Amino acid sequence: MRRKYALGGILLYVISSVYIVYAGFFDIPKQSWNAIFWILILFASINAVAKSFIQENRGSQLYLYQLAHPSAVLIAKMIYNTGLLFLIGLLTFAILSTFTGSQVRDLGFFILLLGLAAVSFSIAFTFTSAIAAKSDSGSSLLAILSFPIVIPILMSLVKLSANALGLLMDSSYLTDIFNLLAIDALLLALTFFLFPYLWRD
Amino acid sequence: MKNYWWKILGALLILYTIVGGMTVPIKSGIVKVTPNSIQSGSEVEIQIDGYNSNYDQSDDLAVWLKAGNTTAIKATKVSAINATSLKANFTLPNELPSEGSFHTLSVVVNSKIDGISLLPDHVALQAGAMDTLNRTQWSEINNLVRKEGFNFPYRNILVESIRNTFYHIPLWFAMVMIFFVAVVYSILQLYKPQVKYDAYAVAFTEIGVLLGILGTVTGAIWAKNTWGQYWSWDIKQNVSIIAMLVYLAYFVLRGSFDDHEKGGRISAVYNIFAFAALIPLLFVIPRMASSLHPGNGGNPGMGGEDLDNTMKYFLYPAFFGWFLVGMWMASLRARFIILRDKYLLKMND
């Protein structure tokens, strides 16, 4: 597997950042736990997805596009990224929990959130990395393009996970999930509409 | 004349909204009422401080305490102290105006010169001792005199800053319209790539961002005067900042290409994407969260009582004025970009 070293790198990033957080905090209050968790996820995800278009060489991209329809390539990358990001989410959660003790009250709901986060980030980052890959300054541009777009997603996620942590007793979590899915659907539709103009050179 | 009439129209509309919006006086209103807690069945003297009022010149001053839509009690005696303060005496009925132990009364002052001014739900009314000699009853407000002439409405916290309605809101409106025009050029650029379309898309996006920044600044100044601070982390403030970041990323993206044709295409794609992200950011998300802005989170929206006819005479022209001037600025900028690129190309040859 040529991705092995990439996964190893992400694992190293997660473990070392969790350790720094632990060394700084020792006993993390729930509110900070919530914020730190999503910051860790954000940066781990952007590192992981950056590999999907940006760190691919042009030859293999050209080869892919000749083999398959560009939309098929896009879907494949999104599914792969969703899986990868979900794995990263679980991993970060597991490592942070072993260091700091699990703060989550509603575990099932939290895992669902990790899934939602994986889908949303995968859609947002895959498209922005497809754009960023076209320019000469790939990964730094990816951060600039994608951060404003993921802020609304993260805002919903942080609120929902505050629910899962028991910080917030909000009965309107279904509306928040619906909002998140609506943002995802919009981004997905745009991605499919705009991608055909992106890939060809 | 045929081709630039709209530029003159835009400039005239803006001039009209600035001159009119700044000079039309605000209707008289009530700033303060003391005391703000009274008891039923008692005789009270209430002092009312007004804004833009002419109490000492009015000979037909009438004051009511109003509970609910129809129930009210009229002042037995009204005496003006000076132009902006008066004293009103009431004999309050023994009964409370309706069921319940907690009532808030609105204060209504009426005169021929100042018209109707109202301070809603300000005076607390509590049950007091019964007075057997007291025969007064709750009745209705009648014989209100409306003010003639052209004035903006008085709103309690807004006061003079209500004039910002003509700048803050039209600037945002114009920004969305200008961004929309930029997207149209971006779509044209994708279908039929031309240097012209690309230049127009960039120019319109630049002017859109400029209008957005102006909208944020006017909003922040307004917030300082009404909400107490320049930045309150209100949901609309947050999403407008995100929207500005999305558009600033557009310029970074453009700048990162050496190849003009490729850069034009990729940034056209991103521009369409950014506009599609802007609409839910500005118009959907704020409606779902609680906000200090009117029209969000259960606050009453613009329109109805807040936007009376005198405001509409300036607000609607301001929408078109800022949009037309934005178009003008953007087309100038686009022509500059096209000429500059042509010149640079010639230099390279």
Side-chain angles (χ1 to χ4, degrees), chain A residues 58 124 127-128 131-137 141 144-145 147-149 151-152 155 175 178-179 183 186-187 190-191 193-201, chain B residues 187 190-191 235 238-239 242-243 245-250 252-253 256-259 262 265-270 272-274 276-277 280-281 284-285 288:
Chain A
R58 295 183 63 84
F127 182 58
T128 43
I131 294 180
K134 293 289 163 193
S135 96
D136 309 320
S137 53
L141 196 63
I144 295 167
L145 293 181
F147 279 173
I149 291 157
I151 288 173
M155 273 161 63
T175 1
F178 179 74
N179 282 357
I183 295 175
L186 179 83
L187 289 179
L190 280 171
T191 306
F193 172 66
L194 294 172
F195 189 68
Y197 296 99
L198 270 183
W199 67 272
R200 58 189 152 158
D201 265 320
Chain B
I187 292 171
L190 281 185
Y191 277 102
I235 183 77
N238 292 342
V239 295
I242 297 170
L245 286 177
V246 169
Y247 272 96
L248 289 178
Y250 169 83
V252 177
L253 179 67
S256 72
F257 287 99
D258 292 327
D259 179 358
K262 186 178 162 192
R265 179 163 49 87
I266 305 295
S267 42
V269 167
Y270 184 79
I272 297 169
F273 178 71
L281 268 178
V284 182
I285 293 178
M288 295 178 171

Side-chain angles (χ1 to χ4, degrees), chain B residues 138-205:
Chain B
W138 293 96
S139 59
E140 285 181 19
I141 294 186
N142 40 30
N143 301 330
L144 282 179
V145 200
R146 294 201 176 272
K147 184 184 175 169
E148 304 292 319
F150 201 71
N151 296 281
F152 292 144
Y154 173 88
R155 289 284 171 269
N156 267 85
I157 296 163
L158 296 178
V159 196
E160 295 285 347
S161 80
I162 201 168
R163 303 175 197 278
N164 201 1
T165 313
F166 310 128
Y167 313 104
H168 178 60
I169 300 163
L171 280 167
W172 282 110
F173 173 85
M175 180 199 77
V176 174
M177 296 309 289
I178 293 286
F179 277 153
F180 177 73
V181 178
V183 166
V184 171
Y185 279 114
S186 281
I187 292 171
L188 284 174
Q189 160 81 6
L190 281 185
Y191 277 102
K192 219 193 308 168
Q194 273 182 31
V195 177
K196 190 181 136 196
Y197 293 149
D198 189 38
Y200 270 88
V202 183
F204 273 85
T205 311

Side-chain angles (χ1 to χ4, degrees), chain B residues 291-306:
Chain B
S291 169
L292 294 163
H293 274 86
N296 304 108
N299 288 339
M302 284 306 288
E305 233 189 312
D306 273 343

Side-chain angles (χ1 to χ4, degrees), chain B residues 6-53:
Chain B
W6 56 274
K7 297 173 183 171
I8 297 171
L9 179 68
L12 283 177
L13 285 176
I14 294 217
L15 192 70
Y16 162 73
T17 49
I18 287 179
V19 171
M22 286 301 182
T23 53
V24 171
I26 305 257
K27 261 185 204 145
S28 69
I30 304 168
V31 179
K32 204 174 112 192
V33 174
T34 42
N36 55 15
S37 172
I38 53 177
Q39 291 188 328
S40 66
S42 63
E43 291 200 14
V44 287
E45 187 184 62
I46 286 175
Q47 179 169 341
I48 295 170
D49 294 315
Y51 182 84
N52 263 2
S53 55

Side-chain angles (χ1 to χ4, degrees), chain A residues 22 58 62 70 77 97 105-106 121 125 138 160 168 187 201:
Chain A
Y22 174 68
R58 295 183 63 84
L62 212 65
K77 289 202 180 209
S97 296
R105 185 173 287 176
D106 191 344
F121 284 180
F125 287 152
L160 282 167
L168 205 71
L187 289 179
D201 265 320

